[in-house]
Amino acid sequence: MTATATKSIPTALVIISTLLHLSTTAFAIGVNYGTLANDLPSPSQVANFLKTQTIIDSIKIFDANPDILRAFANTNITVTVTVGNGDIPALVDANAASQWVANNIKPYYPQTRIKLIAVGNEILFTGNKEWIARLVPCMKSLHQALVRAGIKDVKVSTPHTLGILHNSVQPSAARIRPGYDRVIFAPMLQFLRQTRSPLMVNPYPYFSYSPSMENYILFKPNRGVHDKNTNITYTSMFVAMLDAVYSAIKAMGYGELDIVVAESGWPSLGDPNQPMCTVENAMSYNKNMIRVVTSGKGTPLMPGRRFETYVFALFNENLKPGTTAERNWGLFRPDFSPVYDAGLMRNGQSPGPRPRPSPTTGKKWCVPKADASDKALQANIDYVCSQGVDCKPIQAGGACFNPNNVRSHASYVMNSFYQSHGRHDFDCDFSQTGVLTTSDPSHGTCKYI
């Protein structure tokens, strides 16, 4: 045996070991970490809880919150960040895209394992023609900005509602809706192929609920729905939805693309006219969905596939508008107690001693809403700084200059305005882009009054 051959053995063992590790961990489950609440624990507490108490190994957030990105540094938990819908048109510009990457990715990467940038959320469903027209150009612009910044392993995609599909009752017949297929989806799918990025979809059987379909939707025993074209009988709407997406993109020549379930879940509590919103139904849906996506069995049209999946959502969020159900999608309450057993605790055990949210003194701080665009937040900065509020701390060299991004700067000055103008709820409105929190947003040398 030659020296070269001898040297190759440990190398081969390392490669095999790595592949075995990846096969068991690459498709563990993720969660959508929303923050539309005023009673949530700090991001550092959340990061520690997920790392030490759960098998959740990835999160998706609906912005590029610097506090969350800092908190998840060195945790080995991957993070998907989101570009606000309203920021899409501006980021088509190469300079603006580069600045966005410089502000929101580079300060945290690679210590924080940012893996993907989601450009907006369900843009085609918004009906906003400007956002729709600029969606793919924005995706390309951000990808090119990442390349210029020397960041090669952060992907770019965008999540879609299944409203993008036409004729999807039989999964094999599903197609992308006419009008979007060639103009939007053809270049988008080509971009995803070229950059080896996944197609992100938000399948929600919940929104198709009817009593007669309950068992089919909740993975309970049922007669199934027959697809006459393939002679396949589907006993799960979730699985049928995945195969419908596959059929639609395969018909356009892109059947090899990875499909990521960017959102799916079930609320555990609802209004009196929402009887399907129960703990039992939420547990049944999420446990079975997780089983499907992680089993390795795949679907009838995609055998052997696993699907990277983000359950919606991590916490019940008490500031979300709408019905009671909207505030009860969480797997956990703000004190980290599980709403139900979704099979995500380490070793299948209960949480044990629970981390406690930071103690509060009854004081409130004003911070930007998660879905506020950078454009709106910059307008808030301009307004506050014209009203006599001290904005020196967010200027170069100031205690709150870093992280140097619009959201962080807006957070500081919006709170300063709120604290110095009487602390009325309306002082934190900022055209509905501000929200009150009982969690102190101070960080490092930046102390919020």
Side-chain angles (χ1 to χ4, degrees):
M1 186 177 288
T2 65
T4 303
T6 304
K7 187 177 180 182
S8 70
I9 291 176
T11 302
L13 289 174
V14 168
I15 293 171
I16 292 170
S17 173
T18 301
L19 289 173
L20 287 172
H21 174 73
L22 287 173
S23 70
T24 59
T25 64
F27 291 95
I29 209 71
V31 69
N32 284 273
Y33 176 7
T35 55
L36 291 178
N38 59 13
D39 57 356
L40 298 183
S42 69
S44 60
Q45 288 175 309
V46 174
N48 182 64
F49 172 71
L50 294 183
K51 180 179 179 180
T52 63
Q53 301 287 326
T54 79
I55 61 171
I56 294 167
D57 74 345
S58 50
I59 65 167
K60 175 171 159 281
I61 58 178
F62 294 93
D63 53 15
N65 186 309
D67 296 328
I68 294 176
L69 293 177
R70 276 193 298 269
F72 278 81
N74 305 311
T75 61
N76 210 33
I77 294 172
T78 63
V79 181
T80 292
V81 301
T82 301
V83 170
N85 292 359
D87 294 328
I88 288 172
L91 293 180
V92 173
D93 176 76
N95 291 332
S98 290
Q99 190 62 52
W100 192 93
V101 168
N103 290 343
N104 297 289
I105 305 297
K106 289 207 76 172
Y108 315 103
Y109 172 91
Q111 290 78 11
T112 300
R113 291 184 59 199
I114 301 170
K115 68 180 298 183
L116 192 144
I117 299 171
V119 179
N121 190 46
E122 301 185 344
I123 292 300
L124 301 186
F125 184 71
T126 68
N128 186 307
K129 293 182 179 179
E130 185 180 21
W131 296 353
I132 293 169
R134 287 167 172 73
L135 176 59
V136 176
C138 179
M139 293 167 67
K140 292 179 177 179
S141 183
L142 283 167
H143 170 71
Q144 291 159 1
L146 290 166
V147 171
R148 287 193 297 272
I151 299 172
K152 298 180 180 179
D153 58 350
V154 175
K155 304 300 183 183
V156 179
S157 188
T158 184
H160 301 282
T161 168
L162 262 64
I164 59 170
L165 298 180
H166 171 68
N167 198 26
S168 60
V169 175
Q170 297 189 95
S172 63
R175 298 294 183 266
I176 302 298
R177 283 192 177 278
Y180 288 144
D181 51 356
R182 294 300 164 190
V183 177
I184 305 295
F185 260 79
M188 180 190 300
L189 295 173
Q190 179 64 18
F191 166 79
L192 296 178
R193 171 184 282 167
Q194 290 173 342
T195 59
R196 298 183 179 180
S197 300
L199 176 69
M200 303 175 76
V201 294
N202 297 345
Y204 274 108
Y206 167 76
F207 292 113
S208 298
Y209 179 85
S210 68
S212 64
M213 300 287 281
E214 178 173 302
N215 289 352
Y216 180 58
I217 289 171
L218 289 170
F219 300 90
K220 296 177 181 179
N222 64 92
R223 296 177 61 183
V225 174
H226 189 69
D227 186 329
K228 63 182 181 182
N229 299 321
T230 58
N231 206 29
I232 294 167
T233 297
Y234 288 88
T235 57
S236 157
M237 181 179 283
F238 175 78
V239 171
M241 284 177 160
L242 290 181
D243 272 359
V245 172
Y246 171 77
S247 296
I249 62 174
K250 183 185 179 186
M252 296 184 69
Y254 296 91
E256 85 284 1
L257 291 179
D258 284 335
I259 295 172
V260 167
V261 178
E263 287 182 35
S264 193
W266 199 280
S268 61
L269 182 67
D271 290 329
N273 64 344
Q274 297 174 307
M276 68 291 236
C277 302
T278 66
V279 166
E280 292 76 18
N281 285 351
M283 181 167 66
S284 175
Y285 180 80
N286 280 326
K287 264 193 164 183
N288 282 287
M289 177 185 69
I290 291 166
R291 175 183 55 79
V292 167
V293 298
T294 60
S295 69
K297 294 180 180 178
T299 69
L301 298 184
M302 295 179 285
R305 280 208 204 184
R306 290 184 175 90
F307 302 91
E308 183 180 335
T309 297
Y310 295 82
V311 180
F312 190 90
L314 180 55
F315 293 115
N316 287 336
E317 297 171 67
N318 66 0
L319 294 181
K320 292 189 73 176
T323 66
T324 298
E326 287 302 310
R327 293 178 286 282
N328 287 278
W329 286 84
L331 296 167
F332 298 95
R333 302 179 186 90
D335 66 353
F336 295 107
S337 62
V339 178
Y340 50 87
D341 176 18
L344 297 175
M345 304 306 296
R346 285 196 177 277
N347 303 317
Q349 298 176 355
S350 61
R354 295 168 189 153
R356 293 186 178 272
S358 302
T360 63
T361 60
K363 184 171 181 180
K364 296 179 181 180
W365 292 266
C366 179
V367 296
K369 284 185 177 179
D371 59 352
S373 70
D374 281 1
K375 181 178 180 180
L377 295 181
Q378 183 60 56
N380 293 348
I381 294 172
D382 295 342
Y383 171 75
V384 171
C385 294
S386 71
Q387 299 299 305
V389 173
D390 182 12
C391 290
K392 290 180 182 177
I394 65 169
Q395 296 171 3
C400 298
F401 177 70
N402 288 316
N404 180 21
N405 61 59
V406 171
R407 177 167 290 272
S408 181
H409 290 178
S411 180
Y412 180 81
V413 300
M414 287 164 66
N415 179 68
S416 295
F417 181 90
Y418 167 74
Q419 301 293 348
S420 62
H421 282 70
R423 298 174 183 164
H424 305 110
D425 286 3
F426 58 77
D427 291 319
C428 186
D429 184 74
F430 291 101
S431 299
Q432 299 184 344
T433 62
V435 64
L436 291 171
T437 177
T438 54
S439 179
D440 187 350
S442 300
H443 54 87
T445 59
C446 181
K447 305 301 180 185
Y448 281 53
I449 60 175

